[in-house]
Amino acid sequence: MTKPPHDSVSSAAFSGEPGRIARFVSGKILMAKSPKQYLTLVFSNPFNWLLAVVLAIGIPLLIQRYATGLGSVTHGSQDYPWGLLLGFGLFGMVPLSASGFLLSTAVEIFGRHDLKPIERLALLNGLLGYFFAVVYLLVDLGMPWRLTYPMFVSFGPAAVLFLVAWHVATYLSVQIGEMIPAFAEWIGWDRGKKFIKRITLGLTIAGIILSTLHQGALGALFCYAPGKIHPLWISPEFQWIHFFCSSIYAGLCMVIVVSTLVAFFLRLRCDENFKNSLDRITITLSRGAAYAMVTYLVIKLVALAHDQEWGYLLTGWGGYYVSEMVIGVILPLVLLTYGSRHHLIPMLRIGSLLAVLGILWNRLNTVILCYNWKLHQEIPHFKEVWLVLTILAIYIITYRFILYRLPVLFTWKESDRSNNPAR
Amino acid sequence: MKSIRFSRRRLVTISLAGVMTGLLAPLQRNARGSDFPGYTESKGVLVDLTRCVGCRTCEAACNLENQLPAPERPFNDMSIFNEQSDHLRRPDDKAFTVVNRYDSGSSVSPVYRKIQCNHCQEPACLTSCFVNAYTITAEGAVLYNHQVCVGCRTCMIACPFSVPAFCYSSAFSPQIMKCNFCYPTRLVQGRPPACVEACPRDALTFGERAELLRIARQRIKRNKGRYINYIYGENEAGGTSWLYIAGVPFNEVGFDEDIPKQPIINYVKDFLAIVPMVLTIWPGLFAGIHLLVKRRATAIDNDPKLAESDHDKTAA
């Protein structure tokens, strides 16, 4: 049900080192199925047809973007330099990927070993979210081949984006490190696993530092435009803490959403331990998210009071702001609080989904809708929307590919190493 | 042998002298960025909106000087002013400067305004750039270096005047385009920029910024009623090299009056200040919490009664 493998790879492997690579491809990549069986399986799932349609239109658009420039696939606006690609891909994906550092902190630092069954899913969600945020960035950057310039060629260390670039790069490496144990179990690399185990505490603390700073820095980027963004969406003193605090519940709610999807659509890959503890973990995570939401709402109020912005609340923009707060934060807060008190798992899941959408809404408001609020509004080009969907489709395919193979939703047993990991 | 010893001693002396000079340098000249009052010889241009007639000669001169692509419609085509209903023209990747017409409520005749990079004294584009693609010269020109630019467009977000423009149409060398004060071709030799030299109405005055502020104040004082008593750019975004005086309120002719009167970087400093705090405090804080948690777990292992009493507490 995942992306079909490259034929040339498997044939080259067959002719090369006798047996070993071929065994790896058929056993690990194809999950002990013949290429033909595998393809039949892939196309028996209607969701894959949907993904295929998105990619069939999206990949040519991607080629068009690199061959003829950003202007040919986006609205290429001089007034709105950051569009949907960054608004969704970078500013939206990064808070939803705070899950990795949150769960590793809870388990490794605070000793909440009851959350262990979901730790790897949260780590993977973080790693993939960051990786694909960089992919979105590579689509949107004018000269993506210069991505490493701030690291090696020319330095502007006093700029907020310099911090974001370095921290996202470093944090990606940290997250790869944190995922090595799962990968090591899959390919049978014991030394790699042992090494990471020894440095887990260091990796986790590095994760907290880097996350605090770059989640905040994404907010602080907008402090460069204090006059351009509607005052209700920008308060220079608190912007970084707004972004950081909201990323906490965003990451926790994203784990609840993903674990829900997994529990429904990838049930075969979840072991008993994961399935049995999911309800309990969902309640724990919801409580954590609710605390973060209350904190967020309070700091939002502090910012309103500090900047004396009460008057704006009575305008049209104020109504829009209040609706974002009510639908995106207060309603999920009520659902999570009530649901976790009365153990209503579906309510917690709906509340989490709402919170995730609320975060995306808030980030899109800050980047696009409430930016240049005194100027005209611009509607993103449909090709840009489609590009966003295309990268999202590749993200989903990669996510699923890994969940099917690596021991994320199940605990690895040595007897599993031969072939099919889960029963 | 002797010569080697001599040279060694010399080397030590020279390095010591170097270190001492380095240590003394800050005492001689205040090198702290926040206290730097700006270059005294900084140049600027005073734009007098009461003199501008919208002839677009400056646009043509700029186009020629900077070898920009030929415009879609010639520069002597004044009908371009009539087609600005939804949004006005702005400097973009094909024009470093544009002139717009405004029908101001306070004036019978239309008012024309030239727009270009204002060359801030503490430019937001420069401070926001993570690859240091922007520099400011002693003459006050803010220059962009396309060789290190990554194309992130943060400068476009940061510029309070929305001046930098991006070549969205280029796939392989998209870059930021903006007025460079004619620095490489003229300013470096002390000559005024092309637009100033071309203006037939003397609406643009080139000179030292401090002197231009004096001239502006004099004009406002001597011609009572002709001008609004305000110099736009004196304090906007921490002060700009290009200054404007006008006969109508500035917000009626497209100027943003809400632009902060302090450098944009001041709004980012709060965040920049917490960076070293987080970097130094977080490791100790979280390692400490981890040790506390671990110690408690060991204590429970040694005395299981602890865990039971703890469990009772949470259950109650």
Side-chain angles (χ1 to χ4, degrees), chain B residues 152-179:
Chain B
C152 70
R153 310 194 290 286
T154 309
C155 50
M156 296 167 71
I157 296 276
C159 176
F161 306 101
S162 300
V163 164
F166 188 70
C167 300
Y168 286 100
S169 54
S170 168
F172 302 109
S173 59
Q175 48 176 286
I176 293 289
M177 301 290 272
K178 80 167 194 69
C179 159

PDB file of all heavy atoms in Angstrom, chain B residues 152-179:
ATOM      1  N   CYS B 152      15.141  34.335   0.258  1.00  0.00           N
ATOM      2  CA  CYS B 152      14.128  34.018   1.278  1.00  0.00           C
ATOM      3  C   CYS B 152      13.070  35.112   1.375  1.00  0.00           C
ATOM      4  O   CYS B 152      12.001  34.881   1.898  1.00  0.00           O
ATOM      5  CB  CYS B 152      14.772  33.797   2.639  1.00  0.00           C
ATOM      6  SG  CYS B 152      15.440  35.308   3.363  1.00  0.00           S
ATOM      7  N   ARG B 153      13.417  36.331   0.923  1.00  0.00           N
ATOM      8  CA  ARG B 153      12.488  37.458   0.846  1.00  0.00           C
ATOM      9  C   ARG B 153      12.081  38.003   2.221  1.00  0.00           C
ATOM     10  O   ARG B 153      11.044  38.645   2.351  1.00  0.00           O
ATOM     11  CB  ARG B 153      11.256  37.077   0.022  1.00  0.00           C
ATOM     12  CG  ARG B 153      11.624  36.460  -1.318  1.00  0.00           C
ATOM     13  CD  ARG B 153      10.490  36.386  -2.266  1.00  0.00           C
ATOM     14  NE  ARG B 153       9.480  35.425  -1.905  1.00  0.00           N
ATOM     15  CZ  ARG B 153       9.614  34.099  -2.027  1.00  0.00           C
ATOM     16  NH1 ARG B 153      10.714  33.596  -2.523  1.00  0.00           N
ATOM     17  NH2 ARG B 153       8.646  33.301  -1.678  1.00  0.00           N
ATOM     18  N   THR B 154      12.905  37.730   3.255  1.00  0.00           N
ATOM     19  CA  THR B 154      12.621  38.316   4.566  1.00  0.00           C
ATOM     20  C   THR B 154      12.768  39.830   4.520  1.00  0.00           C
ATOM     21  O   THR B 154      12.048  40.554   5.203  1.00  0.00           O
ATOM     22  CB  THR B 154      13.573  37.742   5.629  1.00  0.00           C
ATOM     23  OG1 THR B 154      13.536  36.329   5.543  1.00  0.00           O
ATOM     24  CG2 THR B 154      13.173  38.165   7.019  1.00  0.00           C
ATOM     25  N   CYS B 155      13.702  40.324   3.684  1.00  0.00           N
ATOM     26  CA  CYS B 155      13.896  41.767   3.596  1.00  0.00           C
ATOM     27  C   CYS B 155      12.626  42.458   3.102  1.00  0.00           C
ATOM     28  O   CYS B 155      12.323  43.568   3.516  1.00  0.00           O
ATOM     29  CB  CYS B 155      15.080  42.102   2.692  1.00  0.00           C
ATOM     30  SG  CYS B 155      15.052  41.283   1.088  1.00  0.00           S
ATOM     31  N   MET B 156      11.885  41.747   2.220  1.00  0.00           N
ATOM     32  CA  MET B 156      10.643  42.336   1.707  1.00  0.00           C
ATOM     33  C   MET B 156       9.597  42.424   2.805  1.00  0.00           C
ATOM     34  O   MET B 156       8.791  43.353   2.857  1.00  0.00           O
ATOM     35  CB  MET B 156      10.109  41.499   0.545  1.00  0.00           C
ATOM     36  CG  MET B 156      11.045  41.485  -0.655  1.00  0.00           C
ATOM     37  SD  MET B 156      10.614  40.228  -1.862  1.00  0.00           S
ATOM     38  CE  MET B 156       9.111  40.920  -2.553  1.00  0.00           C
ATOM     39  N   ILE B 157       9.609  41.418   3.707  1.00  0.00           N
ATOM     40  CA  ILE B 157       8.702  41.437   4.862  1.00  0.00           C
ATOM     41  C   ILE B 157       9.118  42.570   5.798  1.00  0.00           C
ATOM     42  O   ILE B 157       8.285  43.309   6.322  1.00  0.00           O
ATOM     43  CB  ILE B 157       8.779  40.092   5.626  1.00  0.00           C
ATOM     44  CG1 ILE B 157       8.281  38.934   4.768  1.00  0.00           C
ATOM     45  CG2 ILE B 157       8.057  40.169   6.971  1.00  0.00           C
ATOM     46  CD1 ILE B 157       6.799  38.715   4.765  1.00  0.00           C
ATOM     47  N   ALA B 158      10.448  42.694   6.009  1.00  0.00           N
ATOM     48  CA  ALA B 158      10.948  43.605   7.032  1.00  0.00           C
ATOM     49  C   ALA B 158      10.858  45.070   6.607  1.00  0.00           C
ATOM     50  O   ALA B 158      10.633  45.936   7.449  1.00  0.00           O
ATOM     51  CB  ALA B 158      12.387  43.259   7.385  1.00  0.00           C
ATOM     52  N   CYS B 159      11.052  45.371   5.336  1.00  0.00           N
ATOM     53  CA  CYS B 159      11.099  46.778   4.911  1.00  0.00           C
ATOM     54  C   CYS B 159       9.785  47.472   5.229  1.00  0.00           C
ATOM     55  O   CYS B 159       8.738  47.104   4.705  1.00  0.00           O
ATOM     56  CB  CYS B 159      11.383  46.884   3.412  1.00  0.00           C
ATOM     57  SG  CYS B 159      11.341  48.601   2.850  1.00  0.00           S
ATOM     58  N   PRO B 160       9.802  48.508   6.081  1.00  0.00           N
ATOM     59  CA  PRO B 160       8.549  49.167   6.449  1.00  0.00           C
ATOM     60  C   PRO B 160       7.933  49.922   5.275  1.00  0.00           C
ATOM     61  O   PRO B 160       6.750  50.244   5.301  1.00  0.00           O
ATOM     62  CB  PRO B 160       8.969  50.119   7.565  1.00  0.00           C
ATOM     63  CG  PRO B 160      10.436  50.306   7.410  1.00  0.00           C
ATOM     64  CD  PRO B 160      10.968  49.067   6.780  1.00  0.00           C
ATOM     65  N   PHE B 161       8.740  50.213   4.251  1.00  0.00           N
ATOM     66  CA  PHE B 161       8.235  50.941   3.088  1.00  0.00           C
ATOM     67  C   PHE B 161       7.908  49.998   1.929  1.00  0.00           C
ATOM     68  O   PHE B 161       7.559  50.444   0.841  1.00  0.00           O
ATOM     69  CB  PHE B 161       9.257  51.987   2.644  1.00  0.00           C
ATOM     70  CG  PHE B 161       9.682  52.924   3.748  1.00  0.00           C
ATOM     71  CD1 PHE B 161      10.894  52.753   4.408  1.00  0.00           C
ATOM     72  CD2 PHE B 161       8.852  53.948   4.143  1.00  0.00           C
ATOM     73  CE1 PHE B 161      11.278  53.596   5.430  1.00  0.00           C
ATOM     74  CE2 PHE B 161       9.229  54.808   5.172  1.00  0.00           C
ATOM     75  CZ  PHE B 161      10.436  54.625   5.819  1.00  0.00           C
ATOM     76  N   SER B 162       8.066  48.689   2.128  1.00  0.00           N
ATOM     77  CA  SER B 162       7.787  47.676   1.094  1.00  0.00           C
ATOM     78  C   SER B 162       8.499  47.989  -0.210  1.00  0.00           C
ATOM     79  O   SER B 162       7.881  48.023  -1.271  1.00  0.00           O
ATOM     80  CB  SER B 162       6.289  47.539   0.836  1.00  0.00           C
ATOM     81  OG  SER B 162       5.642  47.152   2.010  1.00  0.00           O
ATOM     82  N   VAL B 163       9.785  48.232  -0.146  1.00  0.00           N
ATOM     83  CA  VAL B 163      10.527  48.618  -1.344  1.00  0.00           C
ATOM     84  C   VAL B 163      11.201  47.451  -2.079  1.00  0.00           C
ATOM     85  O   VAL B 163      11.038  47.326  -3.284  1.00  0.00           O
ATOM     86  CB  VAL B 163      11.553  49.728  -1.004  1.00  0.00           C
ATOM     87  CG1 VAL B 163      12.594  49.875  -2.103  1.00  0.00           C
ATOM     88  CG2 VAL B 163      10.827  51.053  -0.808  1.00  0.00           C
ATOM     89  N   PRO B 164      11.954  46.573  -1.385  1.00  0.00           N
ATOM     90  CA  PRO B 164      12.652  45.524  -2.150  1.00  0.00           C
ATOM     91  C   PRO B 164      11.659  44.686  -2.964  1.00  0.00           C
ATOM     92  O   PRO B 164      10.583  44.356  -2.489  1.00  0.00           O
ATOM     93  CB  PRO B 164      13.319  44.667  -1.063  1.00  0.00           C
ATOM     94  CG  PRO B 164      13.384  45.529   0.136  1.00  0.00           C
ATOM     95  CD  PRO B 164      12.190  46.429   0.054  1.00  0.00           C
ATOM     96  N   ALA B 165      12.058  44.366  -4.189  1.00  0.00           N
ATOM     97  CA  ALA B 165      11.202  43.565  -5.071  1.00  0.00           C
ATOM     98  C   ALA B 165      11.989  42.348  -5.527  1.00  0.00           C
ATOM     99  O   ALA B 165      13.218  42.374  -5.572  1.00  0.00           O
ATOM    100  CB  ALA B 165      10.754  44.400  -6.262  1.00  0.00           C
ATOM    101  N   PHE B 166      11.269  41.286  -5.837  1.00  0.00           N
ATOM    102  CA  PHE B 166      11.920  40.019  -6.158  1.00  0.00           C
ATOM    103  C   PHE B 166      11.633  39.646  -7.615  1.00  0.00           C
ATOM    104  O   PHE B 166      10.522  39.835  -8.104  1.00  0.00           O
ATOM    105  CB  PHE B 166      11.373  38.936  -5.223  1.00  0.00           C
ATOM    106  CG  PHE B 166      12.098  37.619  -5.307  1.00  0.00           C
ATOM    107  CD1 PHE B 166      13.394  37.498  -4.833  1.00  0.00           C
ATOM    108  CD2 PHE B 166      11.475  36.505  -5.837  1.00  0.00           C
ATOM    109  CE1 PHE B 166      14.054  36.277  -4.896  1.00  0.00           C
ATOM    110  CE2 PHE B 166      12.131  35.286  -5.902  1.00  0.00           C
ATOM    111  CZ  PHE B 166      13.425  35.179  -5.428  1.00  0.00           C
ATOM    112  N   CYS B 167      12.633  39.112  -8.313  1.00  0.00           N
ATOM    113  CA  CYS B 167      12.446  38.679  -9.701  1.00  0.00           C
ATOM    114  C   CYS B 167      11.798  37.297  -9.713  1.00  0.00           C
ATOM    115  O   CYS B 167      12.496  36.286  -9.835  1.00  0.00           O
ATOM    116  CB  CYS B 167      13.770  38.574 -10.438  1.00  0.00           C
ATOM    117  SG  CYS B 167      14.672  40.074 -10.540  1.00  0.00           S
ATOM    118  N   TYR B 168      10.484  37.270  -9.564  1.00  0.00           N
ATOM    119  CA  TYR B 168       9.798  35.979  -9.526  1.00  0.00           C
ATOM    120  C   TYR B 168       9.880  35.242 -10.859  1.00  0.00           C
ATOM    121  O   TYR B 168       9.707  34.040 -10.930  1.00  0.00           O
ATOM    122  CB  TYR B 168       8.322  36.179  -9.183  1.00  0.00           C
ATOM    123  CG  TYR B 168       8.057  36.524  -7.740  1.00  0.00           C
ATOM    124  CD1 TYR B 168       7.817  37.830  -7.343  1.00  0.00           C
ATOM    125  CD2 TYR B 168       8.048  35.533  -6.776  1.00  0.00           C
ATOM    126  CE1 TYR B 168       7.564  38.149  -6.016  1.00  0.00           C
ATOM    127  CE2 TYR B 168       7.797  35.832  -5.449  1.00  0.00           C
ATOM    128  CZ  TYR B 168       7.564  37.136  -5.075  1.00  0.00           C
ATOM    129  OH  TYR B 168       7.307  37.440  -3.762  1.00  0.00           O
ATOM    130  N   SER B 169      10.148  35.987 -11.922  1.00  0.00           N
ATOM    131  CA  SER B 169      10.115  35.374 -13.248  1.00  0.00           C
ATOM    132  C   SER B 169      11.405  34.637 -13.572  1.00  0.00           C
ATOM    133  O   SER B 169      11.453  33.883 -14.540  1.00  0.00           O
ATOM    134  CB  SER B 169       9.854  36.452 -14.300  1.00  0.00           C
ATOM    135  OG  SER B 169      10.823  37.471 -14.140  1.00  0.00           O
ATOM    136  N   SER B 170      12.452  34.824 -12.763  1.00  0.00           N
ATOM    137  CA  SER B 170      13.720  34.177 -13.066  1.00  0.00           C
ATOM    138  C   SER B 170      13.838  32.851 -12.313  1.00  0.00           C
ATOM    139  O   SER B 170      13.598  32.785 -11.113  1.00  0.00           O
ATOM    140  CB  SER B 170      14.876  35.099 -12.672  1.00  0.00           C
ATOM    141  OG  SER B 170      16.082  34.392 -12.699  1.00  0.00           O
ATOM    142  N   ALA B 171      14.205  31.797 -13.032  1.00  0.00           N
ATOM    143  CA  ALA B 171      14.319  30.481 -12.390  1.00  0.00           C
ATOM    144  C   ALA B 171      15.704  30.271 -11.800  1.00  0.00           C
ATOM    145  O   ALA B 171      15.863  29.594 -10.792  1.00  0.00           O
ATOM    146  CB  ALA B 171      14.010  29.377 -13.391  1.00  0.00           C
ATOM    147  N   PHE B 172      16.723  30.828 -12.431  1.00  0.00           N
ATOM    148  CA  PHE B 172      18.087  30.461 -12.045  1.00  0.00           C
ATOM    149  C   PHE B 172      18.852  31.568 -11.329  1.00  0.00           C
ATOM    150  O   PHE B 172      19.787  31.293 -10.601  1.00  0.00           O
ATOM    151  CB  PHE B 172      18.850  29.949 -13.258  1.00  0.00           C
ATOM    152  CG  PHE B 172      18.162  28.777 -13.886  1.00  0.00           C
ATOM    153  CD1 PHE B 172      17.518  28.886 -15.116  1.00  0.00           C
ATOM    154  CD2 PHE B 172      18.102  27.571 -13.209  1.00  0.00           C
ATOM    155  CE1 PHE B 172      16.849  27.805 -15.661  1.00  0.00           C
ATOM    156  CE2 PHE B 172      17.442  26.481 -13.737  1.00  0.00           C
ATOM    157  CZ  PHE B 172      16.811  26.604 -14.970  1.00  0.00           C
ATOM    158  N   SER B 173      18.492  32.826 -11.558  1.00  0.00           N
ATOM    159  CA  SER B 173      19.145  33.869 -10.773  1.00  0.00           C
ATOM    160  C   SER B 173      18.140  34.927 -10.340  1.00  0.00           C
ATOM    161  O   SER B 173      18.278  36.097 -10.663  1.00  0.00           O
ATOM    162  CB  SER B 173      20.279  34.510 -11.570  1.00  0.00           C
ATOM    163  OG  SER B 173      19.761  35.066 -12.748  1.00  0.00           O
ATOM    164  N   PRO B 174      17.121  34.478  -9.580  1.00  0.00           N
ATOM    165  CA  PRO B 174      16.192  35.486  -9.083  1.00  0.00           C
ATOM    166  C   PRO B 174      16.899  36.305  -8.016  1.00  0.00           C
ATOM    167  O   PRO B 174      17.641  35.758  -7.210  1.00  0.00           O
ATOM    168  CB  PRO B 174      15.068  34.643  -8.468  1.00  0.00           C
ATOM    169  CG  PRO B 174      15.713  33.367  -8.081  1.00  0.00           C
ATOM    170  CD  PRO B 174      16.850  33.145  -9.039  1.00  0.00           C
ATOM    171  N   GLN B 175      16.746  37.595  -8.052  1.00  0.00           N
ATOM    172  CA  GLN B 175      17.386  38.402  -7.027  1.00  0.00           C
ATOM    173  C   GLN B 175      16.492  39.548  -6.613  1.00  0.00           C
ATOM    174  O   GLN B 175      15.462  39.801  -7.214  1.00  0.00           O
ATOM    175  CB  GLN B 175      18.736  38.915  -7.507  1.00  0.00           C
ATOM    176  CG  GLN B 175      18.692  39.523  -8.898  1.00  0.00           C
ATOM    177  CD  GLN B 175      20.024  40.097  -9.302  1.00  0.00           C
ATOM    178  OE1 GLN B 175      20.413  41.146  -8.813  1.00  0.00           O
ATOM    179  NE2 GLN B 175      20.737  39.423 -10.167  1.00  0.00           N
ATOM    180  N   ILE B 176      16.908  40.222  -5.538  1.00  0.00           N
ATOM    181  CA  ILE B 176      16.170  41.380  -5.063  1.00  0.00           C
ATOM    182  C   ILE B 176      16.587  42.573  -5.918  1.00  0.00           C
ATOM    183  O   ILE B 176      17.771  42.759  -6.222  1.00  0.00           O
ATOM    184  CB  ILE B 176      16.496  41.642  -3.578  1.00  0.00           C
ATOM    185  CG1 ILE B 176      15.961  40.508  -2.696  1.00  0.00           C
ATOM    186  CG2 ILE B 176      15.969  42.989  -3.124  1.00  0.00           C
ATOM    187  CD1 ILE B 176      14.470  40.450  -2.551  1.00  0.00           C
ATOM    188  N   MET B 177      15.609  43.369  -6.309  1.00  0.00           N
ATOM    189  CA  MET B 177      15.904  44.579  -7.073  1.00  0.00           C
ATOM    190  C   MET B 177      15.449  45.769  -6.233  1.00  0.00           C
ATOM    191  O   MET B 177      14.320  45.783  -5.739  1.00  0.00           O
ATOM    192  CB  MET B 177      15.142  44.568  -8.403  1.00  0.00           C
ATOM    193  CG  MET B 177      15.456  43.380  -9.292  1.00  0.00           C
ATOM    194  SD  MET B 177      17.112  43.451  -9.970  1.00  0.00           S
ATOM    195  CE  MET B 177      16.831  44.387 -11.446  1.00  0.00           C
ATOM    196  N   LYS B 178      16.340  46.720  -6.077  1.00  0.00           N
ATOM    197  CA  LYS B 178      15.927  47.960  -5.412  1.00  0.00           C
ATOM    198  C   LYS B 178      16.933  49.062  -5.726  1.00  0.00           C
ATOM    199  O   LYS B 178      18.074  48.769  -6.121  1.00  0.00           O
ATOM    200  CB  LYS B 178      15.794  47.751  -3.899  1.00  0.00           C
ATOM    201  CG  LYS B 178      17.093  47.786  -3.155  1.00  0.00           C
ATOM    202  CD  LYS B 178      16.870  47.901  -1.665  1.00  0.00           C
ATOM    203  CE  LYS B 178      18.161  48.276  -0.967  1.00  0.00           C
ATOM    204  NZ  LYS B 178      18.612  49.651  -1.253  1.00  0.00           N
ATOM    205  N   CYS B 179      16.481  50.283  -5.536  1.00  0.00           N
ATOM    206  CA  CYS B 179      17.319  51.457  -5.765  1.00  0.00           C
ATOM    207  C   CYS B 179      18.618  51.344  -4.970  1.00  0.00           C
ATOM    208  O   CYS B 179      18.615  50.952  -3.808  1.00  0.00           O
ATOM    209  CB  CYS B 179      16.535  52.689  -5.318  1.00  0.00           C
ATOM    210  SG  CYS B 179      17.537  54.134  -4.950  1.00  0.00           S
TER     211      CYS B 179
END
